[in-house]
């Protein structure tokens, strides 16, 4: 089988860290005899300049034929007004391909200072509805202003979306510590978050070996700061998942190290949790680790999807080598090191090939 993995270089530091990720992916996959193609599709400023769209139709069409893709950060805040007012490229991807499951792990890494001691958690973020207006409607946006002094937001909670993200969380929990924590705000938003909480508990009945608890979002943030290591798999809604995963990433060392994938059962999008950092673009100092580890997660997902254990072996090589470099303090400036983006990448590739 020849895997087709798309590359979208994006904005800011996107091209630099995506090229790093491509080099690492190719090295790890080649080592294990995995054949792959890496077509490149426009996204962000490149799409605007060539097609007058941040995500042009040629990109959507091309990605339909891919098993997975690497999605770089984008700088939508800097786009011309006619594009900034639209759904951003990340939201477009999730909405168009129904990438309902956003999986965001956070773990302590060798040589990286953690603020909470040892921890290893995975946040499952429902990706298609909830409070975020760029993906909670079939057509149009769930945010509008009846007049210049009033803004309204429609939040969406459905049984279908809750059931499928809950199943994803419980399936992973069965392979880990068999513990799931549901995060919500059902004490105040009783119908919307109440439905989310209740449906998650209904799904839990199908996984009797898993221990389940739940917390209100405000209490959960405090518990994470105090005792993140006590948690394992966390399942929550779109907005809360975005916040909690960023918090978890920073607590264990740095948001710049935080990976994630977005999936729909048939395709996978690797996407680092951080932004495009336009202030350091082109300076060869960006940290590509978050996107590289996202690509490793993508390989594991492909193994599960296609039952090809070589993919997980390649992911092992990437993750283990990253850990070794972290322990040896071979890191970029943001982590207190002196390695450049390209130098760090070359060292990583050489270590994988050794």
């Amino acid at each position: 089988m020849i895997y087709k993995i798309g590359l979208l270089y994006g904005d800011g530091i996107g091209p630099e860290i995506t090229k790093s990720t491509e080099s690492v992916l190719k090295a790890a996959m080649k080592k294990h005899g995995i054949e792959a193609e890496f077509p490149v599709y426009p996204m962000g400023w490149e799409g605007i300049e060539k097609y007058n769209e941040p995500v042009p139709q040629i990109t959507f069409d091309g990605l339909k034929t891919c098993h997975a893709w690497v999605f770089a950060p984008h700088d939508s805040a800097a786009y011309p007004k006619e594009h900034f007012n639209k759904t951003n490229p990340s939201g477009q991807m999730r909405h168009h391909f129904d990438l309902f499951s956003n999986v965001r792990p956070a773990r302590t890494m060798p040589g990286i200072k953690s603020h909470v001691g040892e921890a290893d958690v995975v946040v499952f973020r429902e990706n298609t509805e909830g409070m975020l207006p760029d993906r909670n409607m079939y057509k149009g946006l769930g945010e509008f202003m009846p007049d210049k002094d009033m803004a309204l937001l429609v939040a969406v909670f459905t049984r279908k979306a809750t059931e499928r993200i809950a199943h994803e969380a419980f399936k992973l929990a069965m392979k880990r510590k068999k513990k799931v924590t549901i995060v919500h705000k059902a004490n105040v938003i009783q119908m919307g978050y109440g439905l989310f909480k209740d449906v998650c508990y209904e799904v839990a009945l199908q996984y009797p070996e898993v221990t389940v608890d739940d917390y209100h979002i405000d209490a959960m943030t405090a518990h994470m700061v105090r005792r993140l290591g006590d948690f394992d798999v966390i399942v929550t809604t779109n907005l809360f998942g975005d916040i909690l995963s960023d918090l978890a990433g920073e607590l264990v060392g740095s948001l710049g190290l935080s990976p994630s994938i977005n999936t729909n059962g048939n395709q996978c999008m690797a996407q680092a949790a951080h932004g495009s950092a336009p202030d350091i673009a082109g300076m060869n100092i960006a940290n590509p680790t978050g996107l590289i580890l996202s690509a490793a997660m993508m390989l594991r997902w492909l193994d599960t999807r296609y039952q090809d254990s070589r993919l997980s072996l390649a992911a092992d090589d990437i993750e283990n080598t990253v850990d070794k470099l972290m322990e040896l303090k071979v890191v970029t400036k943001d982590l207190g090191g002196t390695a450049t983006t390209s130098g760090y990448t070359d060292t990583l590739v050489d270590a994988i090939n050794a």
Side-chain angles (χ1 to χ4, degrees):
M1 182 172 180
I2 299 176
Y3 296 95
K4 190 172 181 181
I5 299 175
L7 300 172
L8 292 81
Y9 289 149
D11 306 318
I13 61 172
E16 298 166 78
I17 65 173
T18 304
K19 289 173 183 176
S20 293
T21 302
E22 178 185 3
S23 297
V24 171
L25 268 176
K26 286 181 175 178
M29 296 178 80
K30 182 179 180 181
K31 180 177 179 179
H32 293 280
I34 305 166
E35 293 188 74
E37 300 173 352
F38 295 88
V40 178
Y41 301 104
M43 183 271 289
W45 276 107
E46 180 185 4
I48 293 173
E49 291 166 359
K50 292 182 179 179
Y51 301 95
N52 197 35
E53 286 292 345
V55 186
Q57 190 61 44
I58 191 173
T59 296
F60 286 125
D61 292 342
L63 292 178
K64 286 179 183 177
T65 69
C66 291
H67 299 94
W69 59 91
V70 176
F71 188 82
H74 53 79
D75 186 19
S76 55
Y79 294 166
K81 186 176 181 180
E82 64 269 26
H83 299 298
F84 175 68
N85 289 337
K86 300 177 184 177
T87 302
N88 68 38
S90 182
Q92 284 185 280
M93 288 288 106
R94 291 164 173 163
H95 188 83
H96 184 87
F97 291 102
D98 193 28
L99 299 169
F100 68 89
S101 177
N102 187 196
V103 189
R104 294 186 166 191
R107 63 180 176 90
T108 50
M109 300 179 70
I112 303 300
K113 182 181 178 181
S114 168
H115 300 285
V116 288
E118 291 293 320
D120 181 1
V121 302
V122 181
V123 177
F124 276 82
R125 172 192 181 196
E126 201 293 313
N127 231 359
T128 63
E129 53 182 40
M131 297 289 289
L132 299 190
D134 63 353
R135 63 201 73 153
N136 64 3
M137 294 288 164
Y138 168 71
K139 190 174 183 180
L141 298 178
E143 183 179 36
F144 48 96
M145 296 184 71
D147 61 55
K148 66 182 181 63
D149 297 314
M150 178 186 295
L152 300 179
L153 173 65
V154 178
V156 179
F157 303 85
T158 66
R159 176 174 294 274
K160 175 185 175 181
T162 305
E163 283 180 344
R164 60 184 185 176
I165 194 64
H167 277 294
E168 292 295 302
F170 280 93
K171 284 189 289 186
L172 182 64
M174 287 293 293
K175 299 177 182 179
R176 289 170 55 94
K177 299 177 183 177
K178 297 183 179 180
K179 182 178 180 180
V180 170
T181 298
I182 305 162
V183 180
H184 58 88
K185 193 63 177 172
N187 60 324
V188 175
I189 306 175
Q190 297 179 10
M191 294 185 191
Y193 283 105
L195 178 66
F196 182 86
K197 183 185 77 169
D198 291 346
V199 171
C200 284
Y201 271 112
E202 290 173 15
V203 171
L205 296 175
Q206 301 178 45
Y207 303 85
E209 297 177 55
V210 178
T211 300
V212 188
D213 58 10
D214 70 273
Y215 291 94
H216 300 146
I217 178 64
D218 45 344
M220 186 63 182
T221 58
H223 285 296
M224 287 175 66
V225 171
R226 290 175 181 169
R227 54 184 189 93
L228 183 62
D230 292 344
F231 297 97
D232 183 32
V233 174
I234 298 167
V235 61
T236 189
T237 55
N238 203 333
L239 181 60
F240 291 171
D242 193 16
I243 295 167
L244 292 181
S245 58
D246 282 7
L247 174 61
E250 194 63 32
L251 287 174
V252 298
S254 171
L255 186 60
L257 300 175
S258 299
S260 80
I261 56 171
N262 304 262
T263 70
N264 60 13
N266 294 305
Q267 293 176 297
C268 178
M269 180 173 82
Q271 179 186 29
H274 61 74
S276 63
D279 56 316
I280 61 169
M283 297 172 64
N284 198 28
I285 61 173
N287 186 353
T289 305
L291 193 59
I292 289 170
L293 291 177
S294 300
M297 289 180 67
M298 177 188 73
L299 293 177
R300 293 194 189 283
W301 182 90
L302 287 169
D303 175 15
T304 301
R305 176 74 175 84
Y306 296 102
Q307 298 297 296
D308 185 347
S309 61
R310 299 174 303 166
L311 293 157
S312 284
L313 292 174
D316 287 342
D317 280 344
I318 294 172
E319 292 172 351
N320 292 338
T321 306
V322 165
D323 280 358
K324 289 177 183 177
L325 294 191
M326 295 290 146
E327 190 170 18
L328 294 171
K329 303 296 184 183
V330 181
V331 293
T332 46
K333 184 178 179 180
D334 59 305
L335 296 176
T338 59
T340 61
T341 308
S342 56
Y344 173 79
T345 303
D346 291 343
T347 303
L348 188 53
V349 169
D350 289 344
I352 289 172
N353 288 331

